[in-house]
Amino acid sequence: MTAMIETVGLTCRFGGVVAVDNVSLKIEEGELRCLIGPNGAGKTSLFKCLSGQVQPSGGRVLMKGREISRFHPHEIARMGMAIKMQVPSVFNGLSVHENVWLAAARLHRGKALEAIVDETLSAVGFRSAEAREKRADELSHAHRQWIELAMLAACKPAIALLDEPAAGMTQDEMLRTVELIKTINRSTTILVVEHDLEFISLLARKVTVLHQGKIFVEDTMSNISNNAAVREIYLGKQWRMAQ
Amino acid sequence: MNYAGMNAGSLTFTASLVVVALGGPSVLDTFQVLQLSAYSSLALGVVGLAFVWGILGILSLGHAAFFGIGAYAYAILSIAQGESTFAVAAAILAPSVLAVCLGYFLFYGRVGDVYLSVITLCVSLILFSFMNSTADVSYTLLSVPLGGFNGISAVPPLNWPGFVGDFLTPEATFSLCFLLLAAVYLALQFLRGTRLGRIMASVRENERRCELLGYDPRWLKLVGFVISAAIAGLAGALFTANTGYVGPTVFDLGQSSQFILWAIAGGMGTLSGAIIASFMLQFLASFIGTSQLFNTSLVFGTVIIFFVYALPNGIVPSLQGLLRKLSRLARRQRRRPEVIGDSIKSTP
Ligand SMILES: Nc1ncnc2c1ncn2[C@@H]1O[C@H](COP(=O)(O)OP(=O)(O)OP(=O)(O)O)[C@@H](O)[C@H]1O
Ligand SMILES: [Mg+2]
């Protein structure tokens, strides 16, 4: 079976900084993979390479077996990849409804389109017409992240990249986001970056640890949290505090 | 808040343009008819800019290049052929072709916003200095002398399509100009409400996001840019047909900045605003010009500063905002007792 996403020796340099260093990663169809790593580990850079926002300096990216390293972002998106960026990237000056409508409009028309918009907005709690008429820049950070998730879901992607989807959320909001991601995962392969370890353990899947642009280890969350070396590079302080 | 698409406001505005088009000639004298026809063709020019800037977020500082090419194309062809139909078509086509070439290079080459503005301005200024230096009689196109800084005069007015020498009366030209203005306005307003138009607006809001949703912003911008150039070309043709003259100043900085000023004054993102502002400011310019009280450039400098500081949203959106505030105030006054107990919800 060909993997949903496969990178072979993927490298991404910014001047002298090697943000992604010879990364070979394989995500199978239907997986929900978590990607963790300390600040500056290269998680966001990896996502930018995968989605075509940054040209890799070396190596290859394969999506369903097809090489996409030189594709434009919109071409990759049309192949079925959707991304939620670390810094919420929505249409600030447009209404919540318009944001999601734009996401769904590429694939749907007419009644089906309105139905999808309604369904995805309801899933993130925007039920009233009033809430949907708000401009995206009037919303809180958490709600903007949900709008971006709704946009992503409205695309019905084959693979979704989520860069810190729970950042800056309250406990309740975080729990709700976990549910949302699990729902999206029913039909979509997901690769998710997060710093919040509780969030990662709630998703309870295979975890890849990135460190200084390289894959450090790949394992289950419980093994990762018992791995002394990982604790050292990443969990260290945070983990001891959580104990 | 949504100006996009066909709504009561845009239909009313279109209807008023049609009323002016049909009713104007019977109430205005010939001088006013001629003056307003010329104004309306410049107003047509600014709608294209208001569209491409306000909707797609492309600030073309050289909008006059397309306007001027349309104006010259009309002048040359209508003199060479003695017939205006093909001249008008060419005036639309020629700037569109330039816009395709220029736009391809600008958008597919991913030239940044600022450079885009500068490059479009340069194109316009190159045309300006080129046309200025064609005074020698050896510079002819289709055996029509280009005339250098003297321009081309005695350009024939519009004639009924296919009937050589059967010219439209100033009144008929007036009606045609306003009807075309109404039609172009309505068409653009309609476009804004369509799927394509809404996606175009998303390019302005966040090009990266638009791209990540699977739309190609380069193509969307190119389409919008060409539409605006085609409209500017038509506007240039009508302007020349109305005034009977075209000179290199159609390409100069003053012409481009005038379009920009009107679009700013009208309000970003509104097409009707740009039209209204262009008429108001043209009247103002002609008033100052005839009264000779002030230097026109000084007044317009002041006007632009006023709009940027005092009415950054432009005329039409500011008025709409004021009306909305007043109506909300009126409603609140009526419902005051219930409002006090209103709870605040934290969920969206
Ligand atoms: N556009 C850029 N230009 C130069 N350097 C960059 C650029 N983007 C990222 N970097 C560098 O690449 C490295 C990896 O950054 P990246 O944003 O991918 O890390 P990250 O794992 O997402 O970190 P965080 O957890 O803080 O989001 C960092 O050293 C960063 O400074
Ligand atoms: Mg990051």
Side-chain angles (χ1 to χ4, degrees):
Chain A
M1 197 178 85
T2 53
M4 178 57 81
I5 283 286
E6 186 174 358
T7 70
V8 186
L10 188 67
T11 301
C12 169
R13 268 184 225 106
F14 295 108
V17 183
V18 187
V20 179
D21 191 359
N22 199 18
V23 166
S24 296
L25 188 72
K26 206 169 179 176
I27 317 283
E28 299 297 341
E29 190 168 346
E31 246 195 282
L32 197 175
R33 176 75 65 92
C34 299
L35 188 63
I36 64 171
N39 292 116
K43 306 178 295 292
T44 299
S45 306
L46 175 66
F47 272 18
K48 288 197 169 161
C49 285
L50 296 181
S51 56
Q53 298 178 65
V54 167
Q55 288 276 321
S57 328
R60 306 196 302 154
V61 181
L62 303 165
M63 182 168 171
K64 296 178 210 159
R66 195 165 154 204
E67 166 119 33
I68 57 167
S69 330
R70 304 255 153 237
F71 282 23
H72 288 289
H74 70 268
E75 290 166 330
I76 297 176
R78 281 182 201 173
M79 289 177 64
M81 184 188 289
I83 176 166
K84 184 232 155 270
M85 312 263 269
Q86 180 168 352
V87 180
S89 171
V90 296
F91 301 114
N92 278 328
L94 303 180
S95 71
V96 166
H97 177 275
E98 191 73 1
N99 268 278
V100 178
W101 185 92
L102 283 163
R106 186 169 55 80
L107 289 174
H108 303 276
R109 296 285 185 285
K111 284 224 170 67
L113 173 56
E114 284 308 327
I116 295 228
V117 173
D118 182 51
E119 179 195 315
T120 34
L121 275 172
S122 301
V124 293
F126 286 76
R127 288 201 183 75
S128 71
E130 200 189 354
R132 292 176 181 188
E133 278 319 306
K134 274 201 178 147
R135 271 167 54 129
D137 57 4
E138 293 173 42
L139 303 177
S140 69
H141 183 75
H143 288 168
R144 279 146 58 93
Q145 308 231 67
W146 280 344
I147 294 305
E148 211 176 349
L149 272 185
M151 290 167 80
L152 179 140
C155 292
K156 305 269 175 219
I159 165 124
L161 311 179
L162 308 177
D163 201 345
E164 307 199 9
M169 289 194 173
T170 63
Q171 181 78 5
D172 281 354
E173 289 167 339
M174 186 272 278
L175 292 175
R176 199 157 159 196
T177 307
V178 168
E179 289 315 310
L180 279 171
I181 291 174
K182 285 184 173 165
T183 312
I184 296 174
N185 185 228
R186 279 187 215 140
S187 55
T188 301
T189 309
I190 293 183
L191 180 57
V192 54
V193 164
E194 193 41 78
H195 281 298
D196 183 344
L197 297 176
E198 186 188 355
F199 178 91
I200 299 288
S201 35
L202 283 168
L203 290 174
R205 300 297 164 94
K206 194 166 157 189
V207 177
T208 300
V209 183
L210 208 64
H211 179 47
Q212 293 181 346
K214 293 195 183 67
I215 293 186
F216 191 73
V217 63
E218 251 174 37
D219 214 327
T220 59
M221 184 59 201
S222 53
N223 287 345
I224 293 270
S225 47
N226 293 325
N227 182 322
V230 172
R231 274 197 229 172
E232 198 49 44
I233 63 151
Y234 180 60
L235 308 176
K237 205 163 48 176
Q238 244 175 316
W239 193 250
R240 257 173 266 128
M241 274 161 54
Q243 291 294 301
Chain B
M1 187 166 69
N2 190 8
Y3 316 116
M6 315 279 268
N7 50 30
S10 59
L11 291 177
T12 313
F13 187 72
T14 311
S16 27
L17 285 175
V18 172
V19 168
V20 173
L22 302 180
S26 52
V27 291
L28 301 166
D29 62 40
T30 310
F31 173 74
Q32 290 167 324
V33 162
L34 290 172
Q35 190 183 30
L36 279 168
S37 303
Y39 286 6
S40 75
S41 35
L42 285 164
L44 185 61
V46 80
V47 198
L49 179 70
F51 172 75
V52 81
W53 189 15
I55 313 301
L56 271 156
I58 303 169
L59 174 53
S60 162
L61 287 181
H63 195 61
F66 304 120
F67 181 82
I69 288 177
Y72 268 96
Y74 177 83
I76 293 164
L77 278 160
S78 63
I79 291 175
Q81 298 195 313
E83 212 276 334
S84 66
T85 316
F86 183 67
V88 172
I92 298 172
L93 203 63
S96 308
V97 171
L98 175 68
V100 170
C101 303
L102 190 61
Y104 180 80
F105 158 70
L106 291 171
F107 304 129
Y108 282 74
R110 301 244 172 220
V111 172
D113 291 345
V114 177
Y115 294 103
L116 183 142
S117 301
V118 173
I119 290 169
T120 50
L121 180 62
C122 287
V123 168
S124 175
L125 294 179
I126 288 168
L127 287 167
F128 174 64
S129 67
F130 171 76
M131 277 303 173
N132 249 328
S133 54
T134 55
D136 193 277
V137 284
S138 61
Y139 289 102
T140 60
L141 206 59
L142 302 174
S143 70
V144 177
L146 295 178
F149 46 80
N150 295 315
I152 304 173
S153 44
V155 180
L158 297 167
N159 57 262
W160 295 100
F163 296 93
V164 177
D166 188 1
F167 296 116
L168 270 70
T169 60
E171 286 74 22
T173 309
F174 173 93
S175 299
L176 179 70
C177 285
F178 274 85
L179 287 177
L180 280 173
L181 184 59
V184 168
Y185 166 78
L186 195 66
L188 287 179
Q189 201 66 20
F190 176 75
L191 174 63
R192 294 180 71 176
T194 62
R195 198 180 107 88
L196 178 66
R198 287 162 82 173
I199 297 169
M200 280 178 165
S202 83
V203 177
R204 174 199 67 218
E205 285 298 323
N206 186 341
E207 190 171 338
R208 183 33 69 73
R209 178 38 80 194
C210 170
E211 204 173 23
L212 290 172
L213 290 178
Y215 304 113
D216 187 353
R218 303 169 304 173
W219 167 249
L220 294 163
K221 285 178 168 185
L222 184 63
V223 170
F225 194 58
V226 172
I227 290 175
S228 91
I231 296 170
L234 173 65
L238 294 179
F239 185 74
T240 310
N242 277 315
T243 56
Y245 167 79
V246 60
T249 49
V250 288
F251 293 116
D252 75 2
L253 189 59
Q255 187 65 58
S256 280
S257 52
Q258 217 170 24
F259 284 133
I260 301 279
L261 171 63
W262 297 341
I264 293 178
M268 290 301 285
T270 80
L271 303 176
S272 57
I275 295 175
I276 293 169
S278 84
F279 277 104
M280 282 170 60
L281 294 174
Q282 286 183 84
F283 274 116
L284 180 65
S286 108
F287 171 75
I288 302 165
T290 45
S291 66
Q292 300 272 324
L293 282 174
F294 298 101
N295 178 310
T296 321
S297 308
L298 190 71
V299 173
F300 279 96
T302 317
V303 167
I304 205 165
I305 291 171
F306 168 75
F307 275 108
V308 169
Y309 281 99
L311 283 183
N313 293 328
I315 299 169
V316 168
S318 300
L319 280 178
Q320 284 172 333
L322 191 70
L323 284 178
R324 230 175 299 124
K325 251 182 225 155
L326 287 176
S327 72
R328 214 177 298 150
L329 209 67
R331 241 181 296 142
R332 205 169 292 168
Q333 297 251 307
R334 252 180 283 136
R335 291 191 318 190
R336 183 168 279 162
E338 296 135 66
V339 173
I340 292 165
D342 222 13
S343 67
I344 299 159
K345 293 190 202 93
S346 62
T347 48

